[in-house]
């Protein structure tokens, strides 16, 4: 099998692996059972989700560096035991501190080390379809929260939350370890036969220059993109982390009905990664981001005035749709701006913007609910983050056009 064909098999394996680690997004289904089992507050329980997202970039950076040197297969294999083992150990929780260490730290570190390999390595195989393939690879991550919630809800009802964690942990170890053997390292500067890079356009983000992490951090554009990623992930992570209790609180439905809403949110999140990744290949990363920020901001703001189940779920699906698009576009955008060669490390560092949103969003929602009795102010703050995203993207897009115009003038001179 030639590499041009084999890369699709590698993509499929990466999607399956990401499906497993994406189950971390199903936290909202676990939230209430965990609170009941451990006798903790909602904010205390939400911290486990926050920790798992917060520590992920640590191993994304180190794992990305290792896989850039030796390849992703064994890194993912090792990560299988970290991620699955963390979930398994969560099944022995008797206190929130144990939950933080198992589901938060160990699982989160495993999630990061795996994600750095599956996404960054796969993008390197598809310089001709970066946006679409980054969307597909990250869609597997989002798909975990489609499949897991109804399964986990049924398992929790029949065997309890702790046994559910144990069963899922073992399953994750087996599945990820097996599919890691289908992963292969992308050759340096790989180009599929018959394809040549297109000429840059006004909306193109491709710099044509490979930068290492030091060079990336010395580029002011990194910090702008970092804040853009944080703004794009903020509302999505806030809603996803609290989706089940938010739906139950606002629309007064049962946990089972809320679980359906969580799955629909996850479907929108997953489809958004593929859709916006493909769209960004056609119209450019920045125009796609601007549209997503506007839709997400409007949808998040509308949540403060909606009480009916159907309309509320539709609104959070729009939030998830755009959040997924942000997560699908940014691996490709990072490779465009700073080159594909070091994207394992570079995107791991960029992903810290996601971790920051993963800390601020869930904690903000839980804290505001505890103090105000509702989520209205949290929705308004999240909507304002989308406005910041629009403004920054317009600034970057304008700078990009001016830089290209200046280079064009220099070339003619």
């Amino acid at each position: 099998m030639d590499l041009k064909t084999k890369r699709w098999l590698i993509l499929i394996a990466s999607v399956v692996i990401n499906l497993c680690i994406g189950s971390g997004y199903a936290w909202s289904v676990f939230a209430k059972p965990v609170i009941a089992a451990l006798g903790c507050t909602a904010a205390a329980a939400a911290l486990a989700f926050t920790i798992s997202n917060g520590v992920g970039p640590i191993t994304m950076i180190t794992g990305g560096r290792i896989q850039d040197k030796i390849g992703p297969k064994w890194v993912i294999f090792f990560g299988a035991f970290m991620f699955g083992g963390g979930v398994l150990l969560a099944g022995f929780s008797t206190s929130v501190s144990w939950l933080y260490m198992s589901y938060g730290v160990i699982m989160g570190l495993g999630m990061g080390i795996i994600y750095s390999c599956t996404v960054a390595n796969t993008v390197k195989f598809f310089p001709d379809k970066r946006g679409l393939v980054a969307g597909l690879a990250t869609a597997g991550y989002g798909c975990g929260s489609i499949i897991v919630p109804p399964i986990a809800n049924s398992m929790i009802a029949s065997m309890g939350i702790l046994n559910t964690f144990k069963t899922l942990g073992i399953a994750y170890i087996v599945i990820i370890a097996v599919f890691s053997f289908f992963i292969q390292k992308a050759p340096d500067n790989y180009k599929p036969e018959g394809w040549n890079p297109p000429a840059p356009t006004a909306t193109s983000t491709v710099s044509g220059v490979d930068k290492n992490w030091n060079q990336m951090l010395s580029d002011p554009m990194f910090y702008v993109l970092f804040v853009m990623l944080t703004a794009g992930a903020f509302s999505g992570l806030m809603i996803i982390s609290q989706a089940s209790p938010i739906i139950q609180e606002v629309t007064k439905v049962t946990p089972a009905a809320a679980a359906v809403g969580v799955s629909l949110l996850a479907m929108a999140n997953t489809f958004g990664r593929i859709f916006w990744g493909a769209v960004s290949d056609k119209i450019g990363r920045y125009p796609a981001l601007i549209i997503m920020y506007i839709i997400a901001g409007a949808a998040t703001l509308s949540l403060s005035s909606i009480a009916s189940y159907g309309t509320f779920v539709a609104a959070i699906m729009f939030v998830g749709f755009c959040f997924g698009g942000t997560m699908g576009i940014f691996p490709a955008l990072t490779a465009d701006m700073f080159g594909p060669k070091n994207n394992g490390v570079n995107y791991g560092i960029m992903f810290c913007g996601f971790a920051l949103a993963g800390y601020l969003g869930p904690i903000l929602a839980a804290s505001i609910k505890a103090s105000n009795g509702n989520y209205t102010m949290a929705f308004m703050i999240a909507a304002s983050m989308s406005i910041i995203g629009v403004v920054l993207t317009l600034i970057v897009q304008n700078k990009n056009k001016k830089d290209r115009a200046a280079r064009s003038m220099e070339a003619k001179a």
Side-chain angles (χ1 to χ4, degrees), residues 348-367:
I349 297 172
M350 183 70 73
F351 199 75
C352 290
F354 173 92
L356 180 60
Y359 172 77
L360 295 175
I363 293 298
L364 178 79
S367 299

Side-chain angles (χ1 to χ4, degrees), residues 246-322:
I246 286 177
I247 293 171
Q248 291 178 60
E249 170 72 23
V250 176
T251 65
K252 312 302 181 186
V253 296
T254 64
V260 173
V262 172
S263 291
L264 290 172
L265 169 61
M267 289 175 63
N269 175 9
T270 301
F271 180 66
R273 294 166 189 250
I274 302 169
F275 176 84
W276 289 112
V279 167
S280 75
D281 281 337
K282 300 293 184 183
I283 69 172
R285 314 283 186 230
Y286 297 139
L289 281 169
I290 290 170
I291 296 170
M292 287 189 293
Y293 285 130
I294 292 171
I295 294 174
T300 306
L301 188 61
S302 73
L303 294 176
S304 59
S305 59
I306 297 173
S308 68
Y309 174 78
T311 309
F312 191 86
V313 170
I316 65 172
M317 286 178 69
F318 274 112
V319 176
F321 181 61
C322 296

Side-chain angles (χ1 to χ4, degrees), residues 100-298:
Y100 295 159
M101 180 56 64
S102 56
Y103 194 96
V105 176
I106 299 175
M107 189 199 79
L109 292 173
M111 185 190 303
I113 201 170
I114 293 170
Y115 192 72
S116 68
C117 296
T118 53
V119 176
N121 183 67
T122 306
V123 167
K124 292 179 183 179
F125 272 109
F126 292 88
D128 51 333
K129 299 179 178 66
R130 273 184 189 153
L132 172 62
V133 169
L136 287 169
T138 60
Y141 193 65
C143 198
S145 52
I146 299 175
I147 297 173
V148 172
I151 295 174
N153 206 50
S154 176
M155 291 172 67
I156 292 167
S158 63
M159 66 175 68
I161 183 63
L162 298 184
N163 285 328
T164 297
F165 279 143
K166 293 173 186 176
T167 304
L168 289 174
I170 293 170
Y172 294 148
I173 291 172
V174 173
I175 295 170
I176 297 171
V178 168
F179 277 88
S180 69
F181 288 96
F182 291 92
I183 304 297
Q184 177 179 326
K185 182 182 180 182
D188 291 339
N189 302 312
Y190 172 74
K191 291 195 302 182
E193 185 179 349
W195 177 83
N196 290 303
T201 65
T203 58
S204 174
T205 56
V206 179
S207 68
V209 178
D210 281 305
K211 294 186 177 183
N212 60 31
W213 68 272
N214 279 314
Q215 294 167 326
M216 182 182 72
L217 290 177
S218 67
D219 187 339
M221 283 294 295
F222 164 78
Y223 299 96
V224 179
L225 294 178
F226 182 92
V227 177
M228 286 166 55
L229 175 56
T230 303
F234 189 92
S235 59
L237 287 171
M238 185 185 77
I239 299 296
I240 288 168
S241 68
Q242 308 285 320
S244 183
I246 286 177
I247 293 171
Q248 291 178 60
E249 170 72 23
V250 176
T251 65
K252 312 302 181 186
V253 296
T254 64
V260 173
V262 172
S263 291
L264 290 172
L265 169 61
M267 289 175 63
N269 175 9
T270 301
F271 180 66
R273 294 166 189 250
I274 302 169
F275 176 84
W276 289 112
V279 167
S280 75
D281 281 337
K282 300 293 184 183
I283 69 172
R285 314 283 186 230
Y286 297 139
L289 281 169
I290 290 170
I291 296 170
M292 287 189 293
Y293 285 130
I294 292 171
I295 294 174

